[in-house]
């Protein structure tokens, strides 16, 4: 027998021939969303994504080296690179650099490599890294940049890097104050963490505000949001970025890289459930439109839940898998303490995936055969 056989991890049954090509195609479809994010929110996301790329790829190479395994798969399958890009797009743009590194190392080492590497991990590494940081450091992980006109000119690479790396807080403070003209433009999230965030750039998300204003002031919040030009620009940013994810997801479906049943099931069930909540108590819950546009709903539907390693493979199981995640998503977002529930619902769905696969397993030929069922 030849010793030159190459073992490839999941996914296997795809029109794109290798795992590396699948991952590279997925990353390419994310480029428009990354450009749109930079346009509306500045260069923070781009710098954070570069940090996660170096951290994910470097930690996987180091781990394989310690295990005396070949490092070549790191560059060939591009799975660590994909995890890094997905994680970078979900983290707050001006998150301190060391938190991005910690989340990346946790995602690659603890969630992926400890279980055996690509094709063996039970949970989505990017979402696990995000949840780990969210639980460990909730304040910096819920401080996002507000969309603004010409954000790429205001939050330039130099200024974003000064905040992310905290190179010189005084210079960053002076540069930002000159543009925004505000006295209270910087604040420290935690003295020990040494993380500096610009008040003029950052704030809680719409979902966080709506969650904290419930139940009495929701109508007022929504009315103010519609009347504010600033909020309208933020809505425009969300629609454009969600559209980029949607177009990228459609391209992945056309190229037969992801199973269309999972996003369709998730979006369909979540829309029905959020509509039911909204029509039952519009003063308490957001409309389906808000749930669809705000947060990581579209991004999660096409890029996170469809991970071929942690999702299900059979068509019948895909419908159930997407529906289960949708139910969890609506429950956590409407009734739980976290406003954006994509990461939590995906991880819980990953935990249910093996059971769903068993429940939808096809009957083997001849199984359940009884001689008396045969008519002479």
């Amino acid at each position: 027998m030849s010793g030159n056989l190459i073992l490839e991890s999941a996914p296997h049954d795809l029109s794109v021939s290798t795992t590396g090509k699948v991952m590279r195609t997925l990353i390419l479809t994310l480029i428009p969303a990354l450009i749109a994010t930079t346009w509306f929110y500045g260069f923070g996301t781009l710098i954070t994504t570069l940090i996660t790329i170096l951290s994910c790829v470097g930690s996987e190479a180091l781990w394989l080296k310690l295990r005396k395994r070949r490092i070549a798969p790191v560059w060939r399958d591009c799975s660590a690179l994909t995890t890094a890009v997905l994680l970078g797009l979900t983290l707050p743009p001006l998150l301190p650099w060391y938190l991005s590194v910690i989340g990346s190392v946790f995602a690659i080492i603890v969630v992926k490599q400890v279980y055996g590497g690509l094709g063996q991990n039970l949970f989505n590494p990017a979402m696990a890294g995000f949840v780990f940081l969210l639980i460990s450091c909730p304040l910096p992980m819920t401080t996002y940049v507000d969309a603004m006109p010409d954000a790429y000119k205001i939050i330039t690479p130099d200024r974003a890097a000064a905040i992310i790396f905290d190179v010189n807080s005084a210079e960053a403070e002076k540069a930002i104050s000159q543009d925004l003209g505000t006295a209270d433009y910087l604040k420290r999230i935690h003295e020990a963490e040494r993380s500096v965030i610009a008040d003029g750039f950052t704030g809680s998300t719409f979902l966080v505000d709506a969650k904290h204003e419930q139940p009495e002031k929701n109508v007022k919040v929504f009315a103010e949001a519609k009347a504010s030009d600033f909020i309208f620009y933020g809505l425009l940013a969300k629609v454009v970025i969600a559209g980029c994810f949607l177009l990228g997801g459609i391209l992945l479906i056309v190229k037969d890289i992801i199973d269309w049943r999972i996003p369709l099931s998730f979006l369909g069930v979540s829309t029905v459930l959020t509509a039911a909540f909204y029509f039952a108590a519009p003063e308490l819950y957001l409309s389906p439109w808000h749930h669809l546009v705000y947060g990581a709903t579209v991004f999660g539907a096409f890029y996170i839940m469809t991970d071929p390693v942690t999702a299900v493979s059979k068509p019948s199981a895909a419908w159930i898998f997407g529906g289960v995640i949708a139910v969890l998503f609506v429950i956590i977002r409407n009734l739980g303490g976290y406003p954006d529930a994509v990461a939590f619902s995906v991880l819980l769905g990953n935990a249910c995936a093996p059971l769903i696969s068993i429940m939808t397993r096809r009957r083997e030929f001849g199984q359940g055969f009884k001689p008396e069922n045969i008519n002479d």
Side-chain angles (χ1 to χ4, degrees), residues 167-184:
V167 176
N168 193 321
S169 300
E171 292 183 2
E173 178 178 343
K174 181 180 178 181
I176 295 168
S177 64
Q178 289 175 349
D179 279 336
L180 298 183
T182 175
D184 186 21

Side-chain angles (χ1 to χ4, degrees), residues 61-293:
L62 177 61
W63 182 266
L64 293 176
K65 186 69 174 178
L66 294 175
R67 295 182 61 195
K68 298 181 180 180
R69 300 292 183 88
R70 293 185 301 116
I71 302 180
V74 177
W75 325 112
R76 188 178 72 242
D77 61 39
C78 294
S79 61
L81 181 61
T82 303
T83 298
V85 175
L86 295 177
L87 180 60
L89 284 170
T90 58
L91 294 177
L94 299 179
L95 187 71
W97 66 271
Y98 52 86
L99 292 181
S100 300
V101 173
I102 292 173
S104 301
V105 173
F106 179 85
I108 295 297
I109 302 300
V110 178
V111 183
K112 179 182 177 183
Q113 289 297 332
V114 166
Y115 285 93
L118 179 64
Q120 306 298 324
N121 50 288
L122 300 177
F123 301 98
N124 185 284
M127 291 300 96
F130 176 85
V131 169
F132 173 74
L133 290 177
L134 181 60
I135 295 175
S136 304
C137 313
L139 189 53
M141 284 295 294
T142 53
T143 305
Y144 282 82
V145 173
D146 295 320
M148 67 187 78
D150 297 330
Y152 64 97
K153 296 180 181 179
I154 300 175
I155 310 180
T156 61
D158 292 341
R159 291 171 182 170
I163 297 173
I164 292 173
F165 294 100
D166 196 13
V167 176
N168 193 321
S169 300
E171 292 183 2
E173 178 178 343
K174 181 180 178 181
I176 295 168
S177 64
Q178 289 175 349
D179 279 336
L180 298 183
T182 175
D184 186 21
Y185 37 75
L186 293 177
K187 68 178 180 180
R188 291 188 175 274
I189 288 179
H190 194 281
E191 192 64 27
E193 291 179 343
R194 298 171 55 252
S195 57
V196 180
I197 301 296
D199 276 353
F201 296 157
T202 60
S204 56
T205 64
F206 179 83
L207 291 175
V208 173
D209 291 338
K211 173 71 70 174
H212 290 171
E213 293 291 342
Q214 292 179 0
E216 295 87 357
K217 300 181 181 180
N218 249 356
V219 176
K220 180 181 178 182
V221 171
F222 300 156
E224 291 177 353
K226 294 178 181 178
S228 172
D229 293 337
F230 189 76
I231 298 299
F232 173 79
Y233 193 82
L235 175 60
L236 175 64
K238 293 296 184 182
V239 171
V240 171
I241 295 173
C244 291
F245 289 134
L246 177 61
L247 293 177
I250 293 175
L251 179 60
L252 294 177
I253 292 174
V254 171
K255 294 183 71 67
D256 200 24
I257 292 178
I258 64 175
D259 190 345
W260 58 271
R261 299 171 185 84
I262 294 177
L264 181 59
S265 175
F266 169 76
L267 294 176
V269 174
S270 60
T271 299
V272 171
L273 292 179
T274 53
F277 273 95
Y278 177 71
F279 289 118
E283 72 281 2
L284 297 179
Y285 305 108
L286 295 171
S287 68
W289 163 254
H290 288 99
H291 284 287
L292 182 64
V293 174

Side-chain angles (χ1 to χ4, degrees), residues 28 40 61 67 80 103 117 151 159 166 225 251 272 296 298 301 313 330 336 364:
L28 289 176
F40 287 107
R67 295 182 61 195
R159 291 171 182 170
D166 196 13
L251 179 60
V272 171
V298 179
S313 58
V330 174
E364 297 178 3

